[in-house]
Amino acid sequence: MSAVTEQSSQMKIQVQDLHKSFGSNNVLKGIDLDIREGEVVCVIGPSGSGKSTLLRCLNKLEEITSGKVIVDGFDVTDPKVDINEVRRHVGMVFQHFNLFPHMTVAENIMLAPVELKKMDKAQARERALELLERVGLKDKANARPASLSGGQKQRVAIARALAMAPGIMLFDEATSALDPEMVGEVLQVIKELADSGMTMVLVTHEMGFAREVGDRVIFMADGVVCEQGEPEQLFGNPQQERTRDFLSKVL
């Protein structure tokens, strides 16, 4: 588990009274959240509780209805903010891998650094190979995504998100589309990232994993944060009836 020292306790994410509505459907109903540098925060809760919407608001993949969201020093709720600049600092891994099928694995990873950071192709390829080695897939650099297993595709997606050297990584149900036997290989890569001190927010159904790698676990239901705390406290001695009810069904 990554220890967050006082010296490194700079706030990486600050969320104040965040509301998000889709028409008349209020999905987020006033979320307040601070995440420190190097902290690994796991977000759990029933389907439809707003977990993925919260994550998508952090890099403005969803328009924010009201409230304030500051990520890595950028106020993403400011209409003048350069959202592409924000996204260079925030890597995101989705449930479905979203790899470009017509590109090789290495080309998928090189795309953003070449297009956005103006890294030249040779540098970007070197970086892609380093990242593929980190996720255990260097031998797949020239393969097409269609030839990979689900677990391999997700590891490539993680490498792609890391290619921009983000300060924060967001994982939205990164293992829920995988066959059970592939989940472990992806969780291992995420765990290694957590151990390296990366600031991370993970929406996950993997309770054992949340307990193992999280510095803090947030339980959401019905668009609000019902309870949060250290994993041992939240899983071992939940304070709220709603949390107890959820955990009794999933543990």
Side-chain angles (χ1 to χ4, degrees), residues 98-112 115 140-148 156 160:
N98 301 358
L99 300 175
F100 293 108
H102 62 288
M103 293 182 174
T104 66
V105 163
E107 286 165 349
N108 266 280
I109 297 168
M110 291 163 60
L111 184 65
E115 298 232 324
K140 299 292 187 187
N142 298 318
R144 300 270 171 182
S147 70
L148 304 181
V156 172
R160 181 182 57 185

mmCIF file of all heavy atoms in Angstrom, residues 98-112 115 140-148 156 160:
data_model
loop_
_atom_site.group_PDB
_atom_site.id
_atom_site.type_symbol
_atom_site.label_atom_id
_atom_site.label_comp_id
_atom_site.label_asym_id
_atom_site.label_seq_id
_atom_site.Cartn_x
_atom_site.Cartn_y
_atom_site.Cartn_z
ATOM 1 N N ASN A 98 -10.919 0.362 -25.980
ATOM 2 C CA ASN A 98 -10.874 1.512 -26.893
ATOM 3 C C ASN A 98 -9.544 1.608 -27.651
ATOM 4 O O ASN A 98 -9.051 2.700 -27.890
ATOM 5 C CB ASN A 98 -11.119 2.828 -26.132
ATOM 6 C CG ASN A 98 -12.463 2.865 -25.428
ATOM 7 O OD1 ASN A 98 -13.238 1.927 -25.529
ATOM 8 N ND2 ASN A 98 -12.744 3.927 -24.704
ATOM 9 N N LEU A 99 -8.969 0.468 -28.015
ATOM 10 C CA LEU A 99 -7.754 0.492 -28.838
ATOM 11 C C LEU A 99 -8.147 0.648 -30.304
ATOM 12 O O LEU A 99 -9.210 0.193 -30.720
ATOM 13 C CB LEU A 99 -6.951 -0.803 -28.653
ATOM 14 C CG LEU A 99 -6.465 -1.104 -27.233
ATOM 15 C CD1 LEU A 99 -5.789 -2.470 -27.186
ATOM 16 C CD2 LEU A 99 -5.535 -0.025 -26.712
ATOM 17 N N PHE A 100 -7.276 1.284 -31.082
ATOM 18 C CA PHE A 100 -7.542 1.433 -32.515
ATOM 19 C C PHE A 100 -7.155 0.139 -33.228
ATOM 20 O O PHE A 100 -5.982 -0.244 -33.222
ATOM 21 C CB PHE A 100 -6.772 2.614 -33.090
ATOM 22 C CG PHE A 100 -7.245 3.931 -32.572
ATOM 23 C CD1 PHE A 100 -6.478 4.659 -31.676
ATOM 24 C CD2 PHE A 100 -8.473 4.447 -32.960
ATOM 25 C CE1 PHE A 100 -6.923 5.872 -31.180
ATOM 26 C CE2 PHE A 100 -8.927 5.671 -32.475
ATOM 27 C CZ PHE A 100 -8.152 6.378 -31.577
ATOM 28 N N PRO A 101 -8.127 -0.550 -33.853
ATOM 29 C CA PRO A 101 -7.848 -1.879 -34.405
ATOM 30 C C PRO A 101 -6.889 -1.857 -35.588
ATOM 31 O O PRO A 101 -6.196 -2.840 -35.847
ATOM 32 C CB PRO A 101 -9.230 -2.389 -34.825
ATOM 33 C CG PRO A 101 -10.087 -1.180 -34.954
ATOM 34 C CD PRO A 101 -9.539 -0.163 -33.998
ATOM 35 N N HIS A 102 -6.836 -0.734 -36.322
ATOM 36 C CA HIS A 102 -6.004 -0.684 -37.533
ATOM 37 C C HIS A 102 -4.548 -0.359 -37.219
ATOM 38 O O HIS A 102 -3.711 -0.327 -38.119
ATOM 39 C CB HIS A 102 -6.568 0.355 -38.513
ATOM 40 C CG HIS A 102 -6.574 1.749 -37.973
ATOM 41 N ND1 HIS A 102 -7.455 2.145 -36.987
ATOM 42 C CD2 HIS A 102 -5.783 2.824 -38.249
ATOM 43 C CE1 HIS A 102 -7.222 3.415 -36.696
ATOM 44 N NE2 HIS A 102 -6.220 3.847 -37.435
ATOM 45 N N MET A 103 -4.241 -0.090 -35.936
ATOM 46 C CA MET A 103 -2.866 0.240 -35.542
ATOM 47 C C MET A 103 -2.262 -0.919 -34.757
ATOM 48 O O MET A 103 -2.980 -1.667 -34.093
ATOM 49 C CB MET A 103 -2.860 1.470 -34.634
ATOM 50 C CG MET A 103 -3.280 2.743 -35.304
ATOM 51 S SD MET A 103 -3.166 4.082 -34.089
ATOM 52 C CE MET A 103 -3.539 5.476 -35.142
ATOM 53 N N THR A 104 -0.929 -1.021 -34.813
ATOM 54 C CA THR A 104 -0.266 -2.010 -33.960
ATOM 55 C C THR A 104 -0.373 -1.559 -32.504
ATOM 56 O O THR A 104 -0.730 -0.410 -32.208
ATOM 57 C CB THR A 104 1.221 -2.159 -34.317
ATOM 58 O OG1 THR A 104 1.892 -0.930 -33.995
ATOM 59 C CG2 THR A 104 1.425 -2.515 -35.774
ATOM 60 N N VAL A 105 -0.013 -2.467 -31.613
ATOM 61 C CA VAL A 105 0.008 -2.161 -30.182
ATOM 62 C C VAL A 105 0.906 -0.955 -29.912
ATOM 63 O O VAL A 105 0.518 -0.003 -29.230
ATOM 64 C CB VAL A 105 0.482 -3.411 -29.398
ATOM 65 C CG1 VAL A 105 0.929 -3.062 -27.994
ATOM 66 C CG2 VAL A 105 -0.641 -4.462 -29.362
ATOM 67 N N ALA A 106 2.119 -0.964 -30.466
ATOM 68 C CA ALA A 106 3.055 0.152 -30.238
ATOM 69 C C ALA A 106 2.481 1.458 -30.787
ATOM 70 O O ALA A 106 2.586 2.509 -30.147
ATOM 71 C CB ALA A 106 4.405 -0.148 -30.868
ATOM 72 N N GLU A 107 1.861 1.399 -31.963
ATOM 73 C CA GLU A 107 1.301 2.623 -32.572
ATOM 74 C C GLU A 107 0.169 3.195 -31.717
ATOM 75 O O GLU A 107 0.020 4.418 -31.617
ATOM 76 C CB GLU A 107 0.806 2.329 -33.987
ATOM 77 C CG GLU A 107 1.941 2.152 -34.987
ATOM 78 C CD GLU A 107 1.496 1.513 -36.302
ATOM 79 O OE1 GLU A 107 0.353 1.000 -36.390
ATOM 80 O OE2 GLU A 107 2.316 1.513 -37.238
ATOM 81 N N ASN A 108 -0.628 2.326 -31.109
ATOM 82 C CA ASN A 108 -1.675 2.793 -30.202
ATOM 83 C C ASN A 108 -1.075 3.607 -29.056
ATOM 84 O O ASN A 108 -1.627 4.638 -28.651
ATOM 85 C CB ASN A 108 -2.457 1.601 -29.629
ATOM 86 C CG ASN A 108 -3.703 1.274 -30.418
ATOM 87 O OD1 ASN A 108 -4.732 1.913 -30.262
ATOM 88 N ND2 ASN A 108 -3.606 0.270 -31.279
ATOM 89 N N ILE A 109 0.044 3.140 -28.522
ATOM 90 C CA ILE A 109 0.676 3.809 -27.382
ATOM 91 C C ILE A 109 1.387 5.096 -27.821
ATOM 92 O O ILE A 109 1.424 6.082 -27.094
ATOM 93 C CB ILE A 109 1.659 2.845 -26.684
ATOM 94 C CG1 ILE A 109 0.873 1.649 -26.123
ATOM 95 C CG2 ILE A 109 2.418 3.545 -25.559
ATOM 96 C CD1 ILE A 109 1.739 0.500 -25.667
ATOM 97 N N MET A 110 1.923 5.093 -29.046
ATOM 98 C CA MET A 110 2.674 6.252 -29.550
ATOM 99 C C MET A 110 1.774 7.411 -29.951
ATOM 100 O O MET A 110 2.221 8.558 -30.003
ATOM 101 C CB MET A 110 3.484 5.829 -30.787
ATOM 102 C CG MET A 110 4.626 4.885 -30.494
ATOM 103 S SD MET A 110 5.209 4.051 -32.014
ATOM 104 C CE MET A 110 5.727 5.448 -33.035
ATOM 105 N N LEU A 111 0.513 7.117 -30.235
ATOM 106 C CA LEU A 111 -0.358 8.110 -30.877
ATOM 107 C C LEU A 111 -0.427 9.432 -30.117
ATOM 108 O O LEU A 111 -0.135 10.498 -30.665
ATOM 109 C CB LEU A 111 -1.766 7.516 -31.040
ATOM 110 C CG LEU A 111 -2.768 8.401 -31.786
ATOM 111 C CD1 LEU A 111 -2.340 8.588 -33.233
ATOM 112 C CD2 LEU A 111 -4.165 7.798 -31.728
ATOM 113 N N ALA A 112 -0.798 9.382 -28.836
ATOM 114 C CA ALA A 112 -0.978 10.632 -28.087
ATOM 115 C C ALA A 112 0.332 11.398 -27.909
ATOM 116 O O ALA A 112 0.364 12.612 -28.139
ATOM 117 C CB ALA A 112 -1.637 10.356 -26.741
ATOM 118 N N GLU A 115 1.067 13.066 -31.237
ATOM 119 C CA GLU A 115 0.102 14.098 -31.650
ATOM 120 C C GLU A 115 0.057 15.280 -30.683
ATOM 121 O O GLU A 115 -0.106 16.412 -31.094
ATOM 122 C CB GLU A 115 -1.299 13.479 -31.750
ATOM 123 C CG GLU A 115 -1.370 12.384 -32.791
ATOM 124 C CD GLU A 115 -2.502 12.578 -33.776
ATOM 125 O OE1 GLU A 115 -3.561 13.052 -33.361
ATOM 126 O OE2 GLU A 115 -2.317 12.238 -34.951
ATOM 127 N N LYS A 140 4.635 -8.006 -27.874
ATOM 128 C CA LYS A 140 3.413 -7.765 -28.665
ATOM 129 C C LYS A 140 3.439 -6.402 -29.374
ATOM 130 O O LYS A 140 2.411 -5.961 -29.910
ATOM 131 C CB LYS A 140 2.178 -7.808 -27.761
ATOM 132 C CG LYS A 140 1.970 -9.156 -27.065
ATOM 133 C CD LYS A 140 1.618 -10.251 -28.033
ATOM 134 C CE LYS A 140 1.240 -11.534 -27.311
ATOM 135 N NZ LYS A 140 1.068 -12.649 -28.246
ATOM 136 N N ALA A 141 4.581 -5.737 -29.390
ATOM 137 C CA ALA A 141 4.645 -4.364 -29.921
ATOM 138 C C ALA A 141 4.079 -4.248 -31.334
ATOM 139 O O ALA A 141 3.396 -3.272 -31.663
ATOM 140 C CB ALA A 141 6.086 -3.860 -29.898
ATOM 141 N N ASN A 142 4.341 -5.251 -32.165
ATOM 142 C CA ASN A 142 3.917 -5.157 -33.575
ATOM 143 C C ASN A 142 2.635 -5.923 -33.871
ATOM 144 O O ASN A 142 2.223 -6.025 -35.027
ATOM 145 C CB ASN A 142 5.049 -5.641 -34.487
ATOM 146 C CG ASN A 142 6.281 -4.757 -34.336
ATOM 147 O OD1 ASN A 142 6.150 -3.535 -34.270
ATOM 148 N ND2 ASN A 142 7.450 -5.356 -34.251
ATOM 149 N N ALA A 143 2.019 -6.450 -32.810
ATOM 150 C CA ALA A 143 0.757 -7.183 -32.997
ATOM 151 C C ALA A 143 -0.403 -6.197 -33.151
ATOM 152 O O ALA A 143 -0.316 -5.029 -32.754
ATOM 153 C CB ALA A 143 0.516 -8.086 -31.795
ATOM 154 N N ARG A 144 -1.489 -6.683 -33.724
ATOM 155 C CA ARG A 144 -2.726 -5.884 -33.795
ATOM 156 C C ARG A 144 -3.589 -6.231 -32.584
ATOM 157 O O ARG A 144 -3.572 -7.383 -32.105
ATOM 158 C CB ARG A 144 -3.507 -6.229 -35.061
ATOM 159 C CG ARG A 144 -2.745 -5.970 -36.332
ATOM 160 C CD ARG A 144 -2.961 -4.581 -36.869
ATOM 161 N NE ARG A 144 -2.036 -4.330 -37.967
ATOM 162 C CZ ARG A 144 -1.960 -3.181 -38.618
ATOM 163 N NH1 ARG A 144 -2.743 -2.190 -38.274
ATOM 164 N NH2 ARG A 144 -1.087 -3.017 -39.589
ATOM 165 N N PRO A 145 -4.382 -5.279 -32.101
ATOM 166 C CA PRO A 145 -5.232 -5.553 -30.933
ATOM 167 C C PRO A 145 -6.108 -6.793 -31.077
ATOM 168 O O PRO A 145 -6.337 -7.509 -30.110
ATOM 169 C CB PRO A 145 -6.077 -4.282 -30.820
ATOM 170 C CG PRO A 145 -5.199 -3.208 -31.382
ATOM 171 C CD PRO A 145 -4.442 -3.861 -32.503
ATOM 172 N N ALA A 146 -6.581 -7.082 -32.299
ATOM 173 C CA ALA A 146 -7.492 -8.223 -32.492
ATOM 174 C C ALA A 146 -6.852 -9.551 -32.099
ATOM 175 O O ALA A 146 -7.551 -10.510 -31.779
ATOM 176 C CB ALA A 146 -7.957 -8.291 -33.946
ATOM 177 N N SER A 147 -5.519 -9.612 -32.112
ATOM 178 C CA SER A 147 -4.838 -10.877 -31.804
ATOM 179 C C SER A 147 -4.592 -11.054 -30.302
ATOM 180 O O SER A 147 -4.045 -12.066 -29.885
ATOM 181 C CB SER A 147 -3.505 -10.941 -32.553
ATOM 182 O OG SER A 147 -2.592 -10.001 -32.003
ATOM 183 N N LEU A 148 -4.970 -10.064 -29.498
ATOM 184 C CA LEU A 148 -4.687 -10.098 -28.062
ATOM 185 C C LEU A 148 -5.883 -10.607 -27.266
ATOM 186 O O LEU A 148 -7.036 -10.439 -27.670
ATOM 187 C CB LEU A 148 -4.341 -8.695 -27.549
ATOM 188 C CG LEU A 148 -3.187 -7.947 -28.228
ATOM 189 C CD1 LEU A 148 -2.990 -6.598 -27.557
ATOM 190 C CD2 LEU A 148 -1.910 -8.756 -28.202
ATOM 191 N N VAL A 156 -2.376 -3.146 -22.479
ATOM 192 C CA VAL A 156 -1.960 -2.173 -23.501
ATOM 193 C C VAL A 156 -2.644 -0.822 -23.237
ATOM 194 O O VAL A 156 -2.008 0.237 -23.340
ATOM 195 C CB VAL A 156 -2.285 -2.678 -24.923
ATOM 196 C CG1 VAL A 156 -2.032 -1.576 -25.960
ATOM 197 C CG2 VAL A 156 -1.471 -3.919 -25.249
ATOM 198 N N ARG A 160 -0.898 2.696 -22.691
ATOM 199 C CA ARG A 160 -1.239 3.876 -23.499
ATOM 200 C C ARG A 160 -1.547 5.078 -22.597
ATOM 201 O O ARG A 160 -1.121 6.202 -22.868
ATOM 202 C CB ARG A 160 -2.454 3.562 -24.393
ATOM 203 C CG ARG A 160 -2.846 4.728 -25.279
ATOM 204 C CD ARG A 160 -4.058 4.418 -26.116
ATOM 205 N NE ARG A 160 -5.199 4.031 -25.287
ATOM 206 C CZ ARG A 160 -6.357 3.615 -25.767
ATOM 207 N NH1 ARG A 160 -6.529 3.509 -27.066
ATOM 208 N NH2 ARG A 160 -7.347 3.291 -24.967
#
